[in-house]
C-alpha cells in the first residue's frame, strides 16, 4: 500500500511500514504540515494490527535539516506564546509520540540530521546511520535552543557533558561519533542503510507484538523513574504478558524443543 500525504510518503507491504520524509528540496525540514502528516500516519499505523514495525527515513540527500526555519520565523517575531504554540509544541508532540509509540520505530539516517532531525533520531527506538550521515545540534547558530525535546533527551542518552558540548557548540559530528555516543545503534554503508534498517524492522516484526509493546512501554516509562518505581513498572508489564498466548507458546516451545509460532495474542 502506498499513501502519499504530500510531505511524507507512507508505504507498507506486509508487517513493516516505511515513512519517508518527503521535502527533499528543503532537506526534509519539519514543517507543521509534515509533522501533522507524520502524526496522522502514526495514528493509522497504531490501529493497523498487520503493521508491527516502522522505519523512518528521508527522501534525497538529507534525513532532516530540522524544524522549518522560514515557517517559525514569523512565530518567533510574534513572541514567546506564538512560538511555543506554533513551533515548539507540534515538534514536542511528534517526538513524544515517536518515543512512546507501542511499535518499534527505527530511523534509517540516510544523510544529514540537524536540529529537529537529530531530535527525531533521539526519539526513535533504534537508529542505523549511513556512514556518510552528519549530525548537528545546529540550533545555537540560530540563537535558539533545541525545542523538540533535545535539551532533555540528549543528556539522558549520551550523558550530560557530551550533550552540553554538542548543544552549546552546534558542531557537526559524523555517524561514527553518533555511534560511540549511543545515539545510533550501528553505522552501515550509505547504499545499504535503508535495506539494513528494513531487515532489522522485519526481524522485530516477527517477534510477539504484545511482548514487544510491553517491553517498549516498560523501558520508556522506567527511564525517568527511580529504580523501585521502574521495577514496579516492569512487574506490571510482565503481569500483562504472562496470560498472553504468545508468552505461553514461547515458553512451551522451548520446553518442547521446537520453534515458537507467535500469533499476536
Ligand atoms: N528550514 C527551512 N528550510 C531549510 C532548512 C530548515 N531547517 N534547512 C535547509 N532548508 C532549505 C534551504 O533554505 C534551501 O532552500 P532553497 O533552495 O529554497 O533556498 C534548501 O533547503 C537547501 O538547503 P541549502 O542550505 O541550500 O543546502 P546546503 O547543503 O548548502 O546546507 C545545511 C545544508 C543543513 C548546512 C543548511 O541548509 C542549514 O544550515 N540548514 C539549517 C539547519 C538548522 O539550523 N536546523 C535547525 C533548525 S531549528
Amino acid at each position: 500500500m502506498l499513501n502519499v500525504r504530500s510531505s511524507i510518503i507512507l508505504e507498507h507491504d506486509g508487517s513493516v511500514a516505511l515513512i519517508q520524509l518527503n521535502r527533499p528540496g528543503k532537506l526534509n525540514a519539519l514543517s507543521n504540515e509534515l509533522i501533522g502528516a507524520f502524526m496522522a500516519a502514526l495514528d493509522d499505523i497504531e490501529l493497523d494490527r498487520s503493521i508491527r514495525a516502522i522505519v523512518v527515513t528521508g527522501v534525497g540527500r538529507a534525513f532532516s535539516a530540522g524544524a522549518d526555519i522560514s515557517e517559525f520565523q514569523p512565530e518567533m517575531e510574534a513572541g514567546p506564546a506564538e512560538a511555543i504554540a506554533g513551533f515548539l509544541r507540534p515538534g514536542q508532540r511528534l517526538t513524544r509520540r515517536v518515543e512512546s509509540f507501542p511499535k518499534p520505530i527505527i530511523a534509517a539516517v540516510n544523510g544529514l540530521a540537524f536540529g529537529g532531525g537529530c531530535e527525531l533520531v533521539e526519539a526513535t527506538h533504534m537508529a542505523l546511520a549511513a556512514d556518510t550521515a552528519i549530525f548537528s545540534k545546529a540550533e545555537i547558530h540560530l540563537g535558539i535552543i533545541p525545542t523538540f525535546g533535545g535539551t532533555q533527551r540528549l543528556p539522558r542518552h549520551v550523558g550530560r557533558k557530551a550533550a552540553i558540548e554538542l548543544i552549546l557548540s552546534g558542531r557537526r559530528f559524523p555517524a561514527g561519533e553518533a555511534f560511540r555516543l549511543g545515539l545510533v545503534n550501528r553505522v552501515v554503508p550509505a547504499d545499504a542503510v535503508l535495506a539494513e534498517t528494513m531487515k532489522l524492522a522485519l526481524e522485530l516484526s516477527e517477534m510477539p507484538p504484545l511482548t514487544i509493546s510491553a517491553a517498549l512501554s516498560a523501558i520508556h516509562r522506567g527511564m525517568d523513574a527511580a529504580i523501585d518505581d521502574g521495577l514496579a513498572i516492569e512487574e506490571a508489564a510482565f503481569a500483562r504478558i504472562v496470560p498472553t498466548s504468545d508468552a505461553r507458546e514461547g515458553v512451551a516451545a522451548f520446553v518442547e524443543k521446537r520453534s515458537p509460532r507467535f500469533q499476536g495474542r
Side-chain angles (χ1 to χ4, degrees), residues 113-213:
F114 281 22
C118 188
E119 290 172 301
L120 184 55
V121 178
E122 292 160 27
T124 55
H125 299 129
M126 298 175 75
L128 269 60
D131 52 6
T132 51
I134 305 277
F135 297 77
S136 168
K137 307 294 292 180
E139 294 89 345
I140 195 79
H141 299 299
L142 302 171
I144 63 172
I145 64 170
T147 50
F148 292 4
T151 61
Q152 301 308 303
R153 287 190 188 96
L154 194 67
R156 284 166 165 80
H157 294 177
V158 307
R160 176 170 167 270
K161 284 197 168 58
I164 287 174
E165 190 218 323
L166 294 174
I167 291 169
L168 269 51
S169 72
R171 79 169 166 82
R172 298 176 185 191
F173 56 103
E177 185 173 350
F179 170 69
R180 283 193 298 282
L181 288 168
L183 192 56
V184 303
N185 296 79
R186 234 181 283 161
V187 180
V188 296
D191 60 3
V193 68
L194 184 56
E196 285 291 317
T197 313
M198 293 296 286
K199 197 171 131 205
L200 174 61
L202 191 63
E203 280 167 24
L204 298 185
S205 77
E206 285 160 3
M207 301 297 174
L210 299 177
T211 313
I212 288 270
S213 172

Side-chain angles (χ1 to χ4, degrees), residues 52 74 83 130 193 251:
R52 296 190 172 176
V193 68
V251 174

Side-chain angles (χ1 to χ4, degrees), residues 25-27 29 61 65-70 72 112 114-115 138-139 142 144 172:
K26 296 289 181 188
L27 304 182
R61 67 185 167 103
D68 190 311
I69 300 167
S70 318
F72 73 67
L112 61 90
F114 281 22
E139 294 89 345
L142 302 171
I144 63 172
R172 298 176 185 191

